Amino acid sequence: VYSLDGLLVFGLLLVCTCAYLRKVPRLRAWLLSEKRGVWGLFYKAAVIGTRLHVAVAVSCVLMAFYVLVVK
């Protein structure tokens, strides 16, 4: 997380993980029920991941290519 590409990878993983956890009913009620505060960050990341799923998926593929090939 000390560089820009590490921060981008962390953000993409957070968005993808929260969007996946939103599909699990028990975890959704437990983890993603708060819309404010620190736990609200996970809720907002899940909303971004589900609404912009195409853009997030393309970003993940591009970041994977960058990490594996370019870096």
Side-chain angles (χ1 to χ4, degrees):
V1 185
Y2 296 114
S3 62
L4 181 62
D5 56 345
L7 187 64
L8 288 173
V9 168
F10 178 76
L12 280 172
L13 287 174
L14 179 73
V15 168
C16 292
T17 303
C18 289
Y20 177 75
L21 291 179
R22 189 172 177 162
K23 300 293 182 184
V24 180
R26 285 190 181 180
L27 292 176
R28 181 179 186 178
W30 178 69
L31 185 64
L32 302 172
S33 60
E34 290 291 325
K35 295 183 181 178
R36 289 195 220 153
V38 176
W39 292 106
L41 178 71
F42 298 121
Y43 172 79
K44 291 174 185 177
V47 170
I48 290 171
T50 55
R51 290 186 182 171
L52 298 175
H53 62 278
V54 174
V56 171
V58 169
S59 299
C60 286
V61 169
L62 291 175
M63 185 57 72
F65 178 76
Y66 172 75
V67 169
L68 293 174
V69 176
V70 176
K71 191 175 179 184

